[in-house]
Amino acid sequence: MNETHSVMNETNPLRRLPAVSRVLEEAALVEARQSYGLAAVTAAVRQVLAEMRQRLQAGQTLDTEELAPAHLAQQALLHLRRQCGPSLRPVINATGIVLHTNLGRAPLSEAAAQAAYEAARSYVNLELDLHGGQRSHRQEHVRQALCRLSGAEWATVVNNCAAATILVLRAVAGGGKEVLVSRGQLIEIGGSFRIPEIMAVSGATLREVGTTNITRLSDYERATGPQTAAAMRIHTSNYRLRGFTRTVALEDLVSWARRRQLAVIDDIGSGLAVDLSPWGLTGEPILSSSIRAGADLVVCSGDKLLGGPQAGLILGRKEWLERIERDPFFRAVRPDKMTLAALTATLQHYEDPALALNHVPVLRLLTTPAEQLQARCQSLLERLQSRSFPAAMQVLAQTAYAGGGSLPEIALPTYVLQIRPHQGSEEEWAYRLRMGEPPVIARRAQGCLWLDLRTVFPYQEDMLIQRLCQVAQSLAGPLDSP
Ligand SMILES: *Cc1c(COP(=O)(O)O)cnc(C)c1O
């Protein structure tokens, strides 16, 4: 039988391709019909067969395994996942950047993720007071916890910090009233958040004060006029002024503004709620200290150093917050049930800072000791070596940054596994690592891949090894089994 086959193959190699209907019978594809439908599955099989046909026609030799219906079915599944599956997928972040905006900033704690999941799949008492049976307010689920966390009188949550900033400016200075901002704080965050543009959208008038490097209280004083409504401090999240510089401390700005009957707005950005200075992570304002310093309204993100879901928190005086909640624009940027569920669970961790450090992934990743990362890199290296992984590898001490416009000056000591593949460029490797399941995002430089385990969860390590071996096999053939 083998004889006849090979003779036939030589005469017409295309006859080695199985029929579409034969591949469709494969169990994996019968199951796939449940999620993708027959039409899409058939199209994917035709596509895979067409590719194989092209390769055969081009004179490529394909072994029997590659043309087996089971293998073709697996290829079709990959096509289906790529074309019809969700485009938003969990990835392994091996960049070491804890708050990576392109990778969705903060990963949630188990409890927060679970809470979002439960809220998503069920009805919830979003705006229902279970005790009295009447309608209630969705903000009630988080208000008290936010007030406890920050010491603020009142608090509310919107879609993100950009929305929070616009709302605050509309309430305090909408309709063209002036807001004083130091020139050194007219920042841009991540391309689409620029203070002058946010100010313009809110309807407030920006009044620049002082110079880029020096702003004194007397500059605020000189700029104050009958139209002035507020002074705003903006945390220069992603950059720092150094050298001959001077800014006005929030406390001093507050006591001056009180005398002038102006409001003080503080945009602190990252929303850090526990003191990370024991880990050398300094330079970010802590939520409660802004409130203690007397700011009337404080805004921050929920998904930076707070480590929760995407959200914008507004904390401060009740009368201002009630005004904000009456703004029709507030309704347009209100948070959904999943966000509120995840935020509630995140805030629960903060009832005890020790629990927060233990449960909130962002805090845990930032405070992982470098020696621990060194040991994990070493073990990863040994596991890869035991499979004769085709690359030169070494564990190197490096520095990393928090990212997401937080802690810009803090170089975190870290360790990376540096991989110099024997075959294929580092671009090719990075591409193949991104394209598999789950995608792996690595840094690359100097002909090498750099894997920083600070942002790889221990439960992802086996998967990371599998993906690395997969790519090695696709480029260099089978590896040793471990
Ligand atoms: C990040 C940041 C913002 C924007 O926050 P989003 O939640 O991304 O809208 C605004 N202000 C400061 C100071 C920030 O650091």
Side-chain angles (χ1 to χ4, degrees):
M1 185 191 159
N2 272 342
E3 281 304 88
T4 41
H5 239 118
S6 68
V7 170
M8 241 165 61
N9 297 346
E10 271 155 40
T11 51
N12 185 3
L14 292 185
R15 296 182 70 169
R16 292 174 63 202
L17 281 173
V20 175
S21 57
R22 171 65 192 87
V23 183
L24 282 172
E25 283 166 14
E26 287 296 315
L29 293 187
V30 172
E31 194 189 318
R33 281 186 218 169
Q34 298 299 322
S35 6
Y36 300 105
L38 180 60
V41 176
T42 310
V45 170
R46 285 191 202 285
Q47 198 177 343
V48 169
L49 287 173
E51 282 163 20
M52 292 297 176
R53 193 171 303 123
Q54 241 173 23
R55 290 172 63 185
L56 288 168
Q57 278 169 337
Q60 282 186 29
T61 43
L62 295 174
D63 53 38
T64 317
E65 224 170 89
E66 274 180 287
L67 293 173
H71 180 257
L72 297 170
Q74 285 308 314
Q75 294 299 107
L77 261 187
L78 285 179
H79 275 286
L80 279 167
R81 284 202 196 110
R82 208 162 294 156
Q83 287 165 4
C84 318
S87 125
L88 187 61
R89 286 176 295 165
V91 305
I92 295 180
N93 173 9
T95 65
I97 299 170
V98 174
L99 291 171
H100 200 306
T101 302
N102 300 358
L103 303 182
R105 286 197 191 155
L108 295 179
S109 71
E110 277 309 315
Q114 191 67 33
Y117 168 79
E118 296 292 351
R121 68 197 297 264
S122 171
Y123 292 108
V124 292
N125 60 328
L126 183 63
E127 295 187 344
L128 178 72
D129 173 8
L130 292 175
H131 182 69
Q134 349 59 342
R135 182 168 185 188
S136 70
H137 205 299
R138 67 180 64 205
Q139 298 289 345
E140 300 309 329
H141 299 287
V142 284
R143 236 197 272 283
Q144 294 310 320
L146 282 173
C147 290
R148 277 197 299 280
L149 181 71
S150 62
E153 183 184 11
W154 211 239
T156 200
V157 176
V158 292
N159 184 51
N160 57 20
C161 184
T165 310
I166 293 171
L167 275 164
V168 160
L169 288 168
R170 278 166 64 89
V172 173
K177 278 184 268 170
E178 290 177 0
V179 178
L180 313 175
V181 181
S182 162
R183 285 200 162 88
Q185 298 174 358
L186 293 174
I187 53 161
E188 167 176 318
I189 308 268
S192 49
F193 182 97
R194 306 179 105 192
I195 291 296
E197 287 166 15
I198 292 284
M199 198 73 81
V201 159
S202 75
T205 302
L206 169 65
R207 185 73 196 262
E208 297 178 29
V209 169
T211 62
T212 304
N213 59 327
I214 305 276
T215 302
R216 300 186 180 85
L217 213 39
S218 55
D219 294 316
Y220 286 93
E221 178 69 46
R222 233 188 341 267
T224 304
Q227 284 306 306
T228 311
M232 182 175 184
R233 184 184 78 154
I234 298 138
H235 178 52
T236 53
S237 291
N238 50 4
Y239 95 111
R240 292 289 184 267
L241 276 174
R242 262 183 294 180
F244 185 54
T245 71
R246 199 150 146 188
T247 56
V248 177
L250 186 60
E251 287 82 355
D252 298 337
L253 193 60
V254 166
S255 57
W256 170 80
R258 290 252 162 87
R259 274 182 272 131
R260 295 285 174 279
Q261 293 188 312
L262 303 177
V264 173
I265 301 166
D266 193 15
D267 175 3
I268 64 167
S270 72
L272 181 63
V274 291
D275 182 12
L276 295 179
S277 58
W279 290 270
L281 304 173
T282 54
E284 287 295 322
I286 297 179
L287 254 180
S288 56
S289 60
S290 275
I291 296 291
R292 204 170 328 111
D296 296 285
L297 287 163
V298 178
V299 295
C300 69
S301 290
D303 55 342
K304 290 185 184 172
L305 292 176
L306 189 72
Q310 180 190 301
L313 315 182
I314 311 176
L315 309 125
R317 290 193 196 290
K318 190 171 178 184
E319 54 178 304
W320 280 124
L321 281 156
E322 282 176 345
R323 191 148 157 184
I324 287 167
E325 291 189 355
R326 283 197 300 271
D327 184 342
F329 181 62
F330 177 76
R331 169 64 177 77
V333 292
R334 72 181 184 187
D336 73 318
K337 61 177 181 171
M338 290 178 282
T339 300
L340 285 170
L343 186 59
T344 314
T346 305
L347 292 172
Q348 182 105 47
H349 300 311
Y350 283 96
E351 298 290 344
D352 178 350
L355 285 181
L357 284 162
N358 199 23
H359 290 302
V360 176
V362 165
L363 299 180
R364 222 177 42 225
L365 298 176
L366 281 171
T367 58
T368 305
E371 314 80 68
Q372 208 167 308
L373 298 172
Q374 183 181 23
R376 284 173 57 197
C377 283
Q378 188 60 38
S379 129
L380 188 65
L381 178 146
E382 283 160 18
R383 290 177 65 188
L384 287 167
Q385 273 173 347
S386 76
R387 301 181 179 207
S388 313
F389 191 73
M393 294 181 282
Q394 54 179 333
V395 175
L396 291 177
Q398 282 264 300
T399 48
Y401 291 87
S406 301
L407 302 162
E409 279 199 313
I410 305 291
L412 291 163
T414 195
Y415 281 86
V416 298
L417 178 62
Q418 187 205 47
I419 299 180
R420 187 184 294 279
H422 294 329
Q423 246 144 358
S425 65
E426 86 271 23
E427 278 97 345
E428 184 63 29
W429 272 77
Y431 172 75
R432 290 184 186 220
L433 283 170
R434 283 200 311 277
M435 291 307 290
E437 192 54 46
V440 174
I441 317 298
R443 282 195 295 135
R444 58 195 159 85
Q446 302 155 28
C448 299
L449 291 170
W450 305 66
L451 305 180
D452 188 333
L453 294 192
R454 183 178 293 282
T455 45
V456 176
F457 295 104
Y459 77 84
Q460 294 176 320
E461 277 177 20
D462 288 350
M463 192 67 84
L464 178 59
I465 290 179
Q466 256 180 41
R467 288 296 334 280
L468 285 165
C469 291
Q470 239 174 41
V471 173
Q473 273 166 5
S474 72
L475 285 161
L479 307 185
D480 292 355
S481 43

